[in-house]
Amino acid sequence: MRYAQGGGLTPQGLAARERVRMLAVDGFVRGEKNTAIAIELRVSVRSVERWRRSWREGGRQGAPFRPGQAAEGQ
């Protein structure tokens, strides 16, 4: 099932998700492994892998959540 843009989250929920992604970016900069970041942030390794790929391709600007991105890879 696909959700509306933003995954059905409230603006507060989207902001919280964005904070988690930015914490993941901090881990990328420090050279941490995806598994360690996922455990620390309590998210899936797959999510961290997607965020890292976006970060590699677009830097910090590439990592933030963009509405509709959640459906990527489905």
Side-chain angles (χ1 to χ4, degrees):
M1 167 187 250
R2 287 193 164 185
Y3 293 96
Q5 289 186 345
L9 295 177
T10 64
Q12 294 82 10
L14 287 172
R17 180 186 290 173
E18 187 66 18
R19 283 190 298 275
V20 169
R21 287 172 188 261
M22 289 299 101
L23 290 171
V25 169
D26 293 341
F28 305 155
V29 171
R30 289 190 301 267
E32 295 178 13
K33 295 186 179 285
N34 291 348
T35 304
I37 294 169
I39 290 169
E40 178 183 341
L41 300 178
R42 298 177 58 140
V43 298
S44 70
V45 173
R46 181 170 162 80
S47 290
V48 176
E49 290 168 348
R50 284 195 311 262
W51 299 340
R52 187 182 293 269
R53 184 174 55 244
S54 294
W55 173 71
R56 273 196 315 259
E57 293 171 358
R60 200 171 269 273
Q61 297 298 339
F65 176 74
R66 293 181 299 275
Q69 184 181 29
E72 178 184 329
Q74 289 183 354

